[in-house]
Amino acid sequence: MPSIELKRMFSEWRVRAQRIRDILRPPVWSPGEWNEFARVLAQAVRRYGKTWENADAEFWDIRWELQEGGELVCQVEQIREKKLSLVVAQYGGFADGTENYIWFYCEFSENGKFLGEPFWVEGTWKDALSMLLMPHKASSGFYLTGGTSSPAMQHMLLGGGADRQD
């Protein structure tokens, strides 16, 4: 076997071992990194998501179908002059038969700091959304497939429902 072929095989196995290690022991984000990620995600959802109002709150919603079934939902709720809430949840897929599975939830003050402790569960959702938020990887599609608009539902993750369709 030529030495170049041996080097190629060694390189491929090193990358595979690194991926396995990252899955078994994912890198830990600091609270500052979680805050930055949440603020950027909330801004993206507010910019590109469907919107509606309910009483004194405004809502934004964006959804993606998951390759393994179900959908990943990101919602933002803004209560004027009080707080902004962000939730990332999954409907369907492994969460089928339950109302939803919450991957991430946080609340922000007006200055963008967390109100209380955010809740999160490590998973590939974070990697997929991180790559979508990075401008040069915006077309990444290995965890998520095409985005869809929010359906009109009477009960949403945040708030009482979507009264208005855009």
Side-chain angles (χ1 to χ4, degrees):
M1 180 178 293
S3 65
I4 189 87
E5 187 65 18
L6 208 55
K7 287 180 183 178
R8 181 194 62 80
M9 288 174 52
F10 179 73
S11 177
E12 284 184 12
W13 280 103
R14 185 179 47 201
V15 169
R16 289 177 182 165
Q18 174 70 33
R19 287 180 182 161
I20 291 169
R21 191 182 82 221
D22 287 346
I23 289 169
L24 295 175
R25 279 187 312 132
V28 178
W29 282 6
S30 70
E33 290 170 318
W34 276 108
N35 185 268
E36 181 180 357
F37 169 76
R39 284 185 290 129
V40 170
L41 180 58
Q43 183 180 16
V45 172
R46 290 175 68 190
R47 183 171 184 185
Y48 299 110
K50 287 280 222 185
T51 185
W52 69 93
E53 291 186 30
N54 186 0
D56 65 340
E58 192 168 359
F59 299 88
W60 293 267
D61 183 282
I62 193 166
R63 296 161 183 252
W64 294 273
E65 289 182 27
L66 297 169
Q67 288 182 353
E68 288 84 28
E71 62 183 356
L72 188 68
V73 179
C74 296
Q75 277 191 0
V76 172
E77 172 189 29
Q78 181 176 11
I79 299 175
R80 290 170 190 83
E81 300 178 15
K82 289 186 179 179
K83 68 177 181 174
L84 185 105
S85 302
L86 168 67
V87 66
V88 177
Q90 179 174 339
Y91 287 99
F94 76 85
D96 200 24
T98 62
E99 188 173 322
N100 60 57
Y101 184 85
I102 296 178
W103 289 102
F104 182 73
Y105 177 81
C106 69
E107 293 180 344
F108 298 102
S109 64
E110 288 184 25
N111 62 6
K113 302 286 185 200
F114 283 139
L115 291 173
E117 291 292 318
F119 168 81
W120 71 82
V121 176
E122 288 287 343
T124 54
W125 68 273
K126 180 178 79 173
D127 301 327
L129 291 179
S130 294
M131 291 193 317
L132 283 173
L133 295 173
M134 295 171 62
H136 64 282
K137 296 211 178 192
S139 64
S140 168
F142 46 173
Y143 294 117
L144 305 175
T145 59
T148 60
S149 60
S150 302
M153 296 173 59
Q154 291 304 317
H155 54 283
M156 303 297 276
L157 292 175
L158 299 172
D163 297 328
R164 177 175 67 124
Q165 286 286 322
D166 290 330

